[in-house]
């Protein structure tokens, strides 16, 4: 695949998708399954061996295409709920990955987790195996909001899980969602204040997007729920940002805040900067210098392909230069550090510079950075990152 790409050596990120959940949340359209849905080689017990086989086949495919990597810089176990697997299974997959490509000194290794899917012992085992970071899906501190989201954990379980992670020596990230139907600004404040009180290293604050044929989308169509208006979403974001900033968190991507650069999620930064990554697991996506592929979604079909010693790829594409430029613009516009205007064909034209200068004049882009040739959002411009991108892309 992707023949003709020049050989080069560099760092790699690896995403491992664990597609299992105890309960499917009403807002979620990720590729996830409960145990009762699975069979035919796609069970939780069979998953680690399948994922490790895919790692081997992916390495062989890279080598056949003239690609090699010095090391793995970041690993991210996402889902789903990766910690529904025994900690020993996660440790085994990480160890096997390290036999194929060396993990860099100081590699960032993250697992997502629900607060009720871990124990003190399981987190200790993960830390002993080389995990450095855990990202808890807290979502809200308000039981009524959690119920609307179909989240099963008790808010009181979150501080306990955070304490266990601290005892294991893991960095802690907490995720929250704002904009749940029926949520008030007081609910949003209660959640961000509860997060701050737990003193995590990192906070992700995502606006709820109701997509596809999810349970929540069907409720909206039936009029059982009301979607928040854009003004509420903006007010909620500004409240979160203000409270987080007062508590010592700095935004480094529009939806992500860290106590310092050392706590930024390096794995996600690799995505936003367009680096190469492996996507392991059902439905996972892989990127290699503009070549992109995605796996078969259902765990049984995924397992059947691996049983035949073939990569479980559903389809692939070679992204054009124009498409890559647009993707880079969309992603790098959201990062606090910004990017050189001349580094992207979409922002290096005279017409684009005129558009960007108007946003500088309106205070949405940082004027000092612009004088140095850098496109960088101002604090006030964060809510308009997508609008600025659209203005440039429309030229």
């Amino acid at each position: 695949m992707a023949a003709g790409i020049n050989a080069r050596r560099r760092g790699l990120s690896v995403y491992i998708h664990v597609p299992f959940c105890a309960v499917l949340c009403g807002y979620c359209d990720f590729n996830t399954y409960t145990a009762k849905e699975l069979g035919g080689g796609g069970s939780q017990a069979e998953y680690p061996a399948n994922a490790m086989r895919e790692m081997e086949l992916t390495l062989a495919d890279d080598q056949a295409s003239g690609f090699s990597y010095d090391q793995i810089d970041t690993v991210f176990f996402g889902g789903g709920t990766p910690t529904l697997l025994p900690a020993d299974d996660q440790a085994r997959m990480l160890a096997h990955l390290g036999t194929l490509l060396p993990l860099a000194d100081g590699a960032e290794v993250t697992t997502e987790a629900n607060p009720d899917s871990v124990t003190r012992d399981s987190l200790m085992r993960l830390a002993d195996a080389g995990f450095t970071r855990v990202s808890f899906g807290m979502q809200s501190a308000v039981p009524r909001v959690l119920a609307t989201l179909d989240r099963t954990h008790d808010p009181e379980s979150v501080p306990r899980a955070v304490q266990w992670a601290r005892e294991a020596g893991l960095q802690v990230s907490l995720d929250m969602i704002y904009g749940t139907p029926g949520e008030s600004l007081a609910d949003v404040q209660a959640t961000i204040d509860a997060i701050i009180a737990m003193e995590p290293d990192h906070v992700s604050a995502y606006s709820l997007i109701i997509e596809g044929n999810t349970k929540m989308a069907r409720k909206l169509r039936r009029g059982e729920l009301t979607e928040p208006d854009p003004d509420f979403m903006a007010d909620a974001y500004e409240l979160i940002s203000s409270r987080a900033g007062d508590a010592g968190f700095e935004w480094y991507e529009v939806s992500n805040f860290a106590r310092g650069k050392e706590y930024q999620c390096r794995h996600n930064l690799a995505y936003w900067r367009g680096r190469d990554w492996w996507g392991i697991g059902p439905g996972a996506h892989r990127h290699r210098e503009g070549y992109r592929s995605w796996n078969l979604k259902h765990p049984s079909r995924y397992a059947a392909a691996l049983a035949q010693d073939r990569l479980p790829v559903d389809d692939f594409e070679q992204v054009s230069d124009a498409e890559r430029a647009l993707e880079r613009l969309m992603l790098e516009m959201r990062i606090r550090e910004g990017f050189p205007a001349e580094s992207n064909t979409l922002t290096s034209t005279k017409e684009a510079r005129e558009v960007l200068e108007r946003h500088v004049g309106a205070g949405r882009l940082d004027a000092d950075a612009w004088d140095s040739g850098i496109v960088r959002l101002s604090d006030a411009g964060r809510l308009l990152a997508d609008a600025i991108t659209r203005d440039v892309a429309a030229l």
Side-chain angles (χ1 to χ4, degrees):
M1 297 177 183
I5 297 176
N6 292 329
R8 62 192 69 197
R9 298 183 65 80
R10 63 181 120 183
L12 177 73
S13 290
V14 178
Y15 172 73
I16 300 173
H17 183 69
V18 182
F20 310 114
C21 283
V23 175
L24 298 184
C25 298
Y27 62 91
C28 181
D29 69 343
F30 294 161
N31 187 42
T32 58
Y33 305 83
T34 58
K36 66 182 181 181
E37 296 177 280
L38 298 174
S43 70
Q44 293 183 29
E46 294 163 296
Y47 177 77
N50 290 332
M52 290 188 288
R53 182 57 182 144
E54 187 191 353
M55 294 173 194
E56 295 166 358
L57 293 172
T58 302
L59 177 62
D61 183 67
D62 276 349
Q63 292 172 338
S65 301
F67 260 73
S68 62
Y69 298 93
D70 290 315
Q71 61 191 22
I72 295 171
D73 294 327
T74 68
V75 184
F76 196 104
F77 285 73
T81 309
T83 45
L84 282 183
L85 296 178
D88 283 346
D89 281 351
Q90 288 187 266
R92 185 157 54 103
M93 287 187 281
L94 179 63
H96 186 70
L97 181 63
T99 67
L100 302 176
L101 286 170
L103 268 65
D105 290 340
E108 177 190 271
V109 182
T110 303
T111 185
E112 291 183 331
N114 286 340
D116 56 359
S117 68
V118 297
T119 65
R120 179 186 283 108
D121 287 345
S122 70
L123 290 170
M124 289 287 187
R125 174 70 183 101
L126 292 175
D128 289 343
F131 284 74
T132 64
R133 193 172 177 277
V134 60
S135 178
F136 288 116
M138 175 179 171
Q139 316 314 5
S140 177
V142 181
R144 172 177 48 79
V145 176
L146 288 173
T148 302
L149 293 170
D150 293 321
R151 302 293 291 183
T152 60
H153 69 268
D154 185 322
E156 294 180 1
S157 69
V158 183
R160 182 174 65 242
V162 169
Q163 180 60 33
W164 290 341
R166 290 285 188 217
E167 292 172 4
L170 296 167
Q171 290 185 19
V172 174
S173 178
L174 293 175
D175 289 359
M176 68 174 289
I177 291 175
Y178 62 94
T180 299
E183 186 178 41
S184 67
L185 280 178
D187 295 331
V188 175
Q189 181 167 327
T191 297
I192 187 60
D193 286 352
I195 287 173
I196 290 168
M198 286 182 273
E199 299 184 339
D201 304 298
H202 184 280
V203 177
S204 296
Y206 298 116
S207 61
L208 180 65
I209 299 174
I210 304 172
E211 295 181 306
N213 193 32
T214 60
K215 177 181 175 182
M216 189 171 283
R218 293 192 293 273
K219 285 186 174 182
L220 281 174
R221 289 195 292 270
R222 292 195 298 265
E224 298 172 20
L225 296 174
T226 302
E227 196 166 4
D229 66 35
D231 288 340
F232 173 86
M233 301 297 262
D235 290 344
Y237 177 82
E238 289 175 348
L239 173 63
I240 293 163
S241 179
S242 174
R243 304 293 280 196
D246 290 345
F249 291 90
E250 293 185 346
W251 74 276
Y252 69 98
E253 190 274 343
V254 169
S255 298
N256 289 272
F257 306 80
R259 286 197 180 275
K261 188 172 183 179
E262 66 271 29
Y263 298 118
Q264 295 176 2
C265 180
R266 287 186 275 141
H267 186 85
N268 285 342
L269 282 167
Y271 292 152
W272 296 325
R273 292 169 175 158
R275 305 285 168 78
D276 287 2
W277 70 86
W278 286 359
I280 302 297
H285 287 230
R286 172 184 171 199
H287 177 261
R288 187 178 66 196
E289 189 69 15
Y291 165 79
R292 187 159 48 206
S293 66
W294 47 97
N295 283 346
L296 295 161
K297 294 184 71 171
H298 197 279
S300 295
R301 294 183 63 206
Y302 167 83
L306 290 164
Q308 298 172 13
D309 279 334
R310 62 183 179 86
L311 276 171
V313 172
D314 188 23
D315 208 348
F316 64 92
E317 63 180 346
Q318 185 70 43
V319 184
S320 70
D321 290 343
E323 290 171 324
R324 290 194 75 190
L326 178 58
E327 289 180 1
R328 296 268 36 81
L329 175 63
M330 292 170 61
L331 295 169
E332 291 181 321
M333 184 69 74
R334 296 177 60 87
I335 306 174
R336 183 171 191 154
E337 67 191 38
F339 61 95
E342 294 300 320
S343 70
N344 192 308
T345 56
L346 291 178
T347 53
S348 60
T349 66
K350 177 178 179 294
E351 293 78 10
R353 294 184 67 84
E354 291 173 353
V355 168
L356 293 170
E357 283 169 358
R358 288 200 296 272
H359 286 291
V360 172
R364 298 169 191 134
L365 294 175
D366 184 287
D368 291 337
W370 180 249
D371 288 342
S372 300
I374 303 297
V375 180
R376 179 184 299 156
L377 290 172
S378 66
D379 284 350
R382 281 179 284 168
L383 286 169
L384 296 166
D386 292 343
I388 297 169
T389 296
R390 286 195 298 270
D391 284 351
V392 174
L395 294 174

